């Protein structure tokens, strides 16, 4: 029997059940704040604003008040799904500004390093509240302000991730002062107070989101950037506010799937992976965790999709190839290519001769991830919102302004979707990113909302396939072993909660398995809400990280 763990700790957690409303986030304090807003009569968008504010206060190893925010929102009054895309955006005409050196193990591990960008977080909060807000703005900021003032208890997961990324903030006095206030990181079990952030949030509550766009925090941000040599202006911060857009839609096995459209990668990537797997007849091969052939086909499909979505760019600058990537005829072509290139000879001996272990390569460092926080909310009126808030795309790399830490953005220009944040310094300033917000609709209404911050372009279609192709429950689908795309050297990073014959069978097909443990937190933490067959709501908080789902 698979053990379950309490909400708020790493490990598989039992789904929450409720009649009217549900919240799932990566931190219990965030879930509690959002749920309190719903109980007070707030809209799902109100709850999202409060959740994002708190998450950026208690999970600064993953997000902050200057990063990227994306969301899909289903409006029960209109039956419409809208997309919000508010990343940090590059300033056309300004050269990249990269004050933090490339350093292994940090956010700036990938050359050429992180670039300064205009923050997207608070403009997104402003749009959410102006469009759907019911409760006063100050009410939504207050839980975060209180936690910054009184402090929150540092968890083992928070400390672990902060410790692995601390070097990034050691290049600036503001970073050292913020993350090592007593000469060291706040330790597990200690209460971490952030008085400077509390003062900033008090100003935000009083003056509204403009405090970060053209108010005192914005002016301090510009002054810091100018002092460092980045010629950003106050006008830049307000030049490109986010707007509501149309998401990418496609169908799979009778379900309508709604995900993020270009320049986001996710919608086209998920459609391509699921479409190719369908044309490969994947259900006839058995499940990925039990069948070497199914794992082989999935690994190659993920690899091909990641190559192809590299062609996605800012639609204000480039034509959008999403229709090609989501075309069933193209999926059939790719499926035939993968099937027709399978080995006819047992390659297990090759794998044995070229690795120290018969079936597995040495444990690797997983490809660097930016890390983020997913949020899933359903309110009592039937409004659904699936969102992500992330430290990626946040302001000036390595700096802290008004208690708000920032990482900048990995805005290299690249066809390689491994470099999943790509931007152009002429044109619209939008960057290509990959965020996992996804809704699954039945008869025009959501029945499942999910997303994850971990290796999104690979893990979201796997979980969708587990649910829609193999009939798994959403929480069971999330807990199943996941993989990342097959490498160019025929190595496959994957979690090892699989049947024993899978690694050996993959070796016979020429693939070296790179074990990622039974689970790996870099593969994300799915935050999900879904409607059960009896009409009640369920909520799941992913097994790979902390989290809590709760409702009423």
């Amino acid at each position: 029997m698979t053990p379950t763990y309490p909400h708020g700790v790493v490990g598989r957690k039992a789904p929450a059940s409720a009649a009217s409303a549900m919240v799932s986030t990566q931190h219990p304090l965030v879930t509690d704040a959002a749920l309190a807003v719903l109980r007070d009569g707030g809209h799902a968008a109100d709850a999202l604003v409060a959740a994002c504010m708190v998450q950026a206060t208690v999970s600064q190893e993953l997000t902050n008040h200057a990063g990227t925010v994306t969301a899909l929102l289903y409006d029960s009054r209109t039956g419409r799904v809208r997309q919000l895309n508010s990343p940090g955006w590059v300033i056309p005409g300004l050269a990249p500004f990269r004050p933090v050196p490339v350093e292994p193990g940090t956010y700036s591990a990938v050359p050429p390093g992180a670039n300064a960008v205009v923050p997207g977080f608070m403009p997104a909060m402003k749009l959410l509240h102006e469009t759907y807000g019911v409760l006063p703005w100050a009410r939504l900021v207050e839980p975060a302000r209180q936690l910054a003032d009184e402090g929150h208890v540092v968890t083992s997961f928070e400390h672990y991730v902060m410790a692995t990324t601390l070097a990034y903030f050691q290049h600036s006095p503001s970073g050292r002062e913020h993350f090592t206030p007593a000469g060291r990181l706040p330790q597990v079990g200690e209460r971490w107070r952030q008085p400077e952030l509390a003062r900033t949030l008090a100003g935000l509550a009083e003056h509204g989101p403009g405090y970060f766009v053209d108010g005192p925090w914005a002016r301090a941000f510009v002054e810091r950037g100018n002092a460092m040599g980045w010629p950003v202006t106050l006008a830049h911060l307000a030049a490109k506010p986010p707007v509501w857009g149309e998401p990418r839609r496609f169908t799979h096995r009778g379900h309508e799937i709604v995900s993020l459209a270009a320049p986001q990668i996710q919608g086209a990537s998920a459609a391509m992976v699921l479409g190719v797997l369908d044309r490969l007849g994947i259900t006839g091969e058995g499940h990925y965790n039990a069948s070497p052939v199914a794992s082989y086909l999935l690994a190659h499909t993920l690899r091909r999709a990641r190559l192809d979505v590299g062609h996605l760019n800012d639609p204000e600058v480039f034509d959008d190839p999403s229709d090609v990537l989501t075309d069933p005829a193209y999926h059939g072509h790719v499926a035939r290519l993968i099937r027709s290139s399978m080995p006819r000879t047992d390659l297990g001996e090759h794998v044995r001769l070229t690795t120290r272990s018969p079936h597995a390569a040495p444990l690797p460092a997983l490809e660097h991830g930016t890390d983020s926080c997913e949020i899933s909310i359903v309110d009592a009126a039937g409004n659904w919102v699936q969102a992500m808030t992330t430290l990626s795309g946040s302001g000036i790399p390595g700096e802290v302004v008004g208690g708000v830490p920032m990482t900048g953005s990995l805005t290299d220009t690249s066809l390689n979707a491994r470099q999943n944040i790509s931007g152009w310094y002429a044109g619209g300033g939008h960057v290509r990113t990959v965020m996992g917000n996804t809704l699954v609709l039945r008869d025009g209404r959501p029945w499942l909302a999910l997303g994850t911050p971990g290796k999104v372009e690979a893990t979201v279609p796997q979980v969708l396939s587990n649910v829609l192709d193999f009939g798994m429950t959403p929480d069971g689908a999330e807990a199943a072993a996941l993989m990342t795309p097959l490498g160019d050297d025929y190595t496959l990073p994957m979690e090892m909660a699989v049947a024993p014959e899978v690694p050996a069978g993959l070796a016979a097909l020429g693939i070296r398995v790179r074990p990622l443990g039974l689970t790996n937190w870099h593969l994300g933490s799915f935050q999900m809400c879904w409607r059960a067959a009896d009409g009640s709501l369920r909520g799941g908080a992913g097994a790979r990280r902390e989290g809590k789902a709760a409702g009423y």
Side-chain angles (χ1 to χ4, degrees):
M1 182 177 178
T2 303
T4 58
Y5 296 88
H7 285 253
V9 301
V10 175
R12 187 170 180 182
K13 309 159 189 68
S17 179
S20 300
M22 182 63 66
V23 176
S24 176
T25 80
Q26 283 183 218
H27 199 292
L29 293 172
V30 179
T31 296
D32 292 347
L35 204 57
V37 166
L38 296 182
R39 289 185 183 277
D40 285 352
H43 188 281
D46 286 319
L48 177 59
V49 171
C52 289
M53 294 292 182
V54 172
Q55 191 90 66
T57 302
V58 302
S59 300
Q60 291 182 358
E61 78 280 14
L62 301 171
T63 188
N64 55 55
H65 294 93
T68 291
V69 175
T70 64
L72 291 175
L73 190 146
Y74 171 79
D75 185 341
S76 62
R77 297 171 303 171
T78 64
R80 183 182 179 188
V81 179
R82 306 173 85 184
Q83 169 179 310
L84 170 60
N85 183 37
S86 188
W89 59 278
V90 301
I91 301 174
L94 292 190
F97 179 68
R98 298 186 170 103
V100 176
V102 174
E103 187 166 348
T106 73
Y107 183 76
S108 195
V110 179
N115 174 51
V117 292
V118 173
F121 181 100
M122 212 56 70
M125 300 297 102
K126 181 175 186 289
L127 181 61
L128 283 163
H129 192 252
E130 287 178 348
T131 308
Y132 294 105
V134 175
L135 299 183
W137 172 260
R139 162 68 182 85
L140 307 181
V141 179
E142 176 57 22
R145 187 212 63 80
Q146 185 174 348
L147 283 165
D149 182 46
E150 299 177 0
H152 73 279
V153 176
V154 175
T155 67
S156 59
F157 181 82
E158 177 186 5
H159 180 268
Y160 165 72
V161 180
M162 281 200 300
T164 62
T165 59
L166 179 62
Y168 190 77
F169 287 96
Q170 297 306 291
H171 295 280
S172 72
S174 64
R176 293 191 292 272
E177 181 179 352
H178 181 78
F179 283 104
T180 54
R184 60 172 175 77
L185 275 175
Q187 300 295 294
V188 177
E190 292 182 349
R191 186 170 292 275
W192 183 18
R193 295 185 63 247
Q194 301 176 69
E196 186 179 14
L197 178 59
R199 291 190 291 272
T200 294
L201 293 175
L204 176 67
E206 180 179 357
H207 298 288
Y211 195 79
F212 272 60
V213 178
D214 55 16
W217 187 89
R219 291 193 291 272
F221 174 88
V222 169
E223 290 170 4
R224 179 73 60 81
N226 293 169
M228 296 174 66
W230 183 37
V232 62
T233 68
L234 203 60
H236 287 138
L237 270 62
K240 206 167 189 68
V243 296
W244 293 104
E246 289 298 318
R248 169 61 53 171
R249 297 170 180 266
F250 62 97
T251 59
H252 184 73
R253 296 188 179 272
H255 297 268
E256 183 178 19
I257 300 175
V258 185
S259 195
L260 299 172
Q264 292 286 345
I265 292 171
Q266 178 53 33
S269 178
M272 182 174 175
V273 172
L274 291 174
V276 172
L277 291 174
D278 187 54
R279 280 147 189 83
L280 283 166
I282 198 67
T283 56
E285 300 292 351
H287 189 263
Y288 317 112
N289 292 176
S291 165
V293 172
S295 288
Y296 175 96
L297 296 174
L298 173 61
H300 274 277
T301 300
L302 293 173
R303 176 181 179 273
R304 180 57 187 258
R306 185 157 70 174
L307 289 171
D308 283 2
V309 297
H311 291 280
L312 284 170
N313 272 295
D314 180 359
E316 291 188 16
V317 181
F318 290 82
D319 290 336
D320 182 1
S322 295
D323 287 345
V324 176
L325 297 171
T326 59
D327 184 352
Y330 184 62
H331 301 162
H333 166 78
V334 174
R336 290 193 301 273
L337 179 66
I338 292 172
R339 277 283 188 191
S340 65
S341 59
M342 293 183 70
R344 291 183 286 113
T345 301
D346 187 331
L347 296 172
E349 179 68 2
H350 167 84
V351 173
R352 186 190 71 80
L353 290 170
T354 56
T355 57
R356 289 178 295 177
S357 171
H359 311 305
L363 183 67
L366 195 62
E367 290 174 7
H368 179 72
T370 56
D371 297 314
S372 314
C373 298
E374 190 77 17
I375 297 170
S376 190
I377 299 171
V378 184
D379 68 21
N383 301 299
W384 294 57
V385 63
Q386 187 74 31
M388 181 183 283
T389 170
T390 172
L391 53 75
S392 178
S394 57
I396 308 169
E399 293 294 318
V400 181
V401 174
V404 178
M406 299 172 287
T407 63
S409 182
L410 295 174
T411 48
D412 188 22
T413 304
S414 178
L415 272 168
N416 188 345
R418 280 191 179 94
Q419 182 66 32
N420 61 37
I421 304 172
S422 179
W424 297 83
Y425 294 87
H430 293 293
V431 298
R432 180 189 72 204
T433 59
V434 52
M435 307 294 178
N437 317 146
T438 304
L439 298 178
V440 183
L441 279 57
R442 184 188 292 133
D443 299 324
R445 297 180 180 179
W447 74 269
L448 172 62
L450 61 81
T452 177
K455 307 302 175 191
V456 173
E457 75 280 11
T459 57
V460 167
Q462 286 177 76
V463 171
L464 286 172
S465 178
N466 286 343
V467 174
L468 303 179
D469 295 336
F470 292 96
M472 299 173 71
T473 62
D475 61 305
E478 189 275 341
L482 301 175
M483 67 175 68
T484 66
L486 180 67
D488 293 345
D489 59 353
Y490 282 92
T491 58
L492 177 62
M494 64 183 297
E495 295 175 324
M496 298 306 291
V498 297
E501 57 267 27
V502 169
L506 284 168
L509 293 166
I511 292 178
R512 297 175 178 87
V513 170
R514 289 191 168 186
L516 299 177
L518 293 178
T519 62
N520 186 289
W521 75 271
H522 287 289
L523 296 188
S525 177
F526 278 78
Q527 308 306 135
M528 302 180 290
C529 294
W530 66 95
R531 186 77 67 180
D534 63 3
S536 63
L537 286 168
R538 299 285 189 272
R544 294 167 182 82
R545 304 187 188 185
E546 303 170 315
K548 177 182 178 181
Y552 65 86

